[in-house]
Amino acid sequence: MSDGRTYIRAVTGGDRREMLALAESSRELHSPWITPPLTTHMFRAYLRRTQRDDHEGYVVCLHDTDEIVGVINVNNVIGGSFRSASLGYYAAQAHAGKGYMREGLLQVKAHAFKKLGLHRVEANIQPANAPSIRLVRSCGFEREGLSRQFLFINGAWRDHERWAAIDERTALR
């Protein structure tokens, strides 16, 4: 899938080296918000998770070079009458602030609604993570509230703001 300067594609085993290098070189950007796979073992566990029916993993790549500039995951996909999932994502430090993640997130959001048949996608963000909040807001997500002690990250339960985008189509697909 493609839009503008970037395209998204499913994560593959061949992405291991590049994704580990991205995570290592971007530790300062990611801390304390997220811990992406930093070892071969962690990457293999992540890849196995993306191959389940309830998770999808995408890389955001540059058209010109095919370089991976970010990762977006569609987690905990639930079908039936709920049709919802949560998103997780992180960018490459070297490309932060250039709008690539915005392009990628808009592509993943459209894919989640049109191809995965979801009605709702959520992004749960720690309140102090202003860049991530700006990102989801710019992609049409709306703040719904605060979830206290929502996720266990870096040794503690962290509060998160709940941001959601809803597919306004009314018919189930």
Side-chain angles (χ1 to χ4, degrees):
M1 287 163 283
S2 172
D3 187 30
R5 304 167 295 168
T6 63
Y7 65 92
I8 61 169
R9 65 168 175 77
V11 172
T12 69
D15 294 323
R16 178 185 54 83
R17 186 170 283 133
E18 188 173 0
M19 285 181 62
L20 292 178
L22 180 157
E24 182 61 39
S25 66
S26 304
R27 279 185 186 227
E28 187 176 313
L29 178 66
H30 300 156
S31 179
W33 317 118
I34 190 169
T35 304
L38 294 166
T39 66
T40 296
H41 175 75
M42 290 171 74
F43 178 81
R44 286 184 185 136
Y46 161 73
L47 188 62
R48 279 192 303 273
R49 184 169 52 96
T50 67
Q51 294 169 344
R52 296 184 347 208
D53 289 343
D54 62 343
H55 286 72
E56 303 272 339
Y58 301 98
V59 288
V60 180
C61 300
L62 296 179
H63 271 300
D64 294 342
T65 63
D66 295 321
E67 178 184 2
I68 297 172
V69 296
V71 177
I72 302 175
N73 298 305
V74 181
N75 302 309
N76 305 311
V77 176
I78 300 173
S81 59
F82 193 48
R83 296 189 182 236
S84 182
S86 62
L87 301 178
Y89 48 83
Y90 55 93
Q93 174 78 50
H95 297 287
K98 296 179 181 176
Y100 299 141
M101 287 301 288
R102 182 178 187 279
E103 288 182 22
L105 185 54
L106 287 169
Q107 292 171 63
V108 169
K109 182 177 129 180
H111 178 74
F113 291 154
K114 294 176 184 166
K115 301 293 185 190
L116 300 179
L118 297 178
H119 171 69
R120 171 190 180 85
V121 290
E122 286 187 12
N124 295 286
I125 304 165
Q126 293 176 59
N129 190 346
S132 189
I133 290 170
R134 279 193 304 274
L135 172 63
V136 296
R137 183 181 285 133
S138 76
C139 291
F141 286 68
E142 295 181 10
R143 185 179 187 276
E144 293 186 330
L146 181 73
S147 298
R148 294 187 58 246
Q149 299 183 23
F150 185 68
L151 290 173
F152 194 78
I153 298 174
N154 292 328
W157 288 101
R158 311 286 178 177
D159 293 349
H160 283 69
E161 290 184 9
R162 188 177 55 258
W163 290 78
I166 295 171
D167 183 355
E168 296 300 334
R169 294 179 288 184
T170 58
L172 289 179
R173 290 168 301 286

